[in-house]
Amino acid sequence: MPAERTRQHTTPVAAARRRRLRADRARQLADLLRHQVLGGLFPDGVLPHEEVIGADYGVSRNTVRQALDLLRAEQLVARQPGVGTVVVGQKYPHALDRLMGLAETLHSHGRVTNEVRTISPVAAPAPVADRLRIPPRGEVLYVERLRRLDGLPLSLDLTYIPMDIGLPLLDADLENNDVFRLIEETAGQPLGTAEITLEAVNADAHSAAVLEAPRGTAVLMLERLTHLADGTPVDLEFIRFRGDRLTMRGLLHRTI
């Protein structure tokens, strides 16, 4: 009897495990192919034939097709009659292991310009005042910018800066300069560190319209509090990146 009960339990478990593995294979393959697509590792932007991919990765042709369907849904690849599966999307790398402005980060990929949508002194909301270490309801410079790479909408940046640093920025060329560089010029010292939080959020109607993205689409939200070299907080940002146009990369070191 115990042996019979064991067989009754193990049989459905084994079947479920097989189903799970079949369901996982396409996703696993898509992850590997995505890395190659974004790394520009396919000559002329054309992926190998489905049979070749299947042989290379040891998976069935159905699994390859399912994986390519996932990448097509992400608008990274497309099927072209007479050619095959080709790369149609591109993501630009944004470093997470260095404190750099967007123009500094993407300088090798094109020209970053800023559409200044709002710039004005405002009373700091309590969470902003607390994080920038200024008196409650103290004035800060609020800046909202749409960042473009060669004209392509990339991010919507909402920035709060203490007025002792922000006041000179009212007359600065914010359309063609990173805020980081302007802050360093005004403060007379370099930036030092930044605390960051990265998460995925659904784009609200305003953000989606500005970024020219479908309403409700997922965007990468980067919250960043930047300090000067002496530790003074000078820049609190809430940045919404189009996740289909930018990828976050970094080199992390393990310390114990």
Side-chain angles (χ1 to χ4, degrees):
M1 290 296 293
E4 180 64 25
R5 284 198 298 270
T6 300
R7 283 195 296 273
Q8 290 174 350
H9 287 299
T10 57
T11 299
V13 168
R17 182 176 294 115
R18 287 195 297 271
R19 288 195 297 271
R20 180 182 62 80
L21 290 175
R22 284 196 296 268
D24 284 347
R25 288 191 185 105
R27 190 163 51 249
Q28 293 166 352
L29 177 58
D31 289 343
L32 298 174
L33 294 176
R34 185 186 300 105
H35 172 78
Q36 293 180 288
V37 167
L38 297 179
L41 301 181
F42 292 115
D44 302 320
V46 180
L47 275 66
H49 192 274
E50 292 172 357
E51 292 181 351
V52 175
I53 295 176
D56 287 346
Y57 290 94
V59 297
S60 70
R61 191 166 181 179
N62 282 339
T63 297
V64 175
R65 288 173 175 171
Q66 292 171 11
L68 295 178
D69 284 343
L70 293 174
L71 298 183
R72 276 193 287 270
E74 297 175 22
Q75 299 183 346
L76 288 179
V77 302
R79 184 77 179 173
Q80 287 189 3
V83 178
T85 301
V86 299
V87 177
V88 295
Q90 182 178 9
K91 289 190 177 185
Y92 302 99
H94 188 291
L96 285 181
D97 52 2
R98 295 186 63 190
L99 184 53
M100 301 175 68
L102 193 64
E104 295 172 316
T105 299
L106 300 180
H107 73 277
S108 62
H109 297 280
R111 181 169 177 263
V112 172
T113 57
N114 312 307
E115 176 188 330
V116 180
R117 299 178 56 82
T118 303
I119 179 167
S120 175
V122 299
V128 173
D130 179 63
R131 299 193 69 188
L132 290 176
R133 300 180 199 164
I134 63 175
R137 305 297 292 174
E139 267 198 336
V140 293
L141 183 68
Y142 172 73
V143 185
E144 180 178 314
R145 295 168 297 155
L146 172 62
R147 320 292 302 277
R148 299 177 185 269
L149 179 64
D150 290 337
L152 194 69
L154 202 60
S155 73
L156 180 63
D157 299 16
L158 282 58
T159 305
Y160 299 89
I161 303 171
M163 281 307 294
D164 59 335
I165 299 293
L167 188 60
L169 271 59
L170 285 168
D171 298 319
D173 181 9
L174 289 173
E175 292 187 355
N176 298 294
N177 290 286
D178 273 338
V179 166
F180 278 178
R181 188 177 69 80
L182 298 173
I183 287 176
E184 289 179 322
E185 290 178 358
T186 300
Q189 63 172 300
L191 297 173
T193 61
E195 306 161 24
I196 63 171
T197 300
L198 181 65
E199 60 183 322
V201 300
N202 291 331
D204 58 276
H206 168 72
S207 299
V210 172
L211 290 170
E212 300 176 15
R215 183 174 179 176
T217 190
V219 296
L220 293 174
M221 164 71 87
L222 177 67
E223 179 181 329
R224 180 170 60 196
L225 176 62
T226 304
H227 304 76
L228 293 173
D230 65 6
T232 303
V234 290
D235 184 302
L236 176 60
E237 295 177 286
F238 299 88
I239 305 173
R240 290 167 174 82
F241 289 107
R242 281 196 52 159
D244 59 340
R245 293 178 177 168
L246 193 134
T247 183
M248 300 292 180
R249 293 181 180 175
L251 176 64
L252 306 179
H253 298 273
R254 178 173 170 82
T255 57
I256 301 176

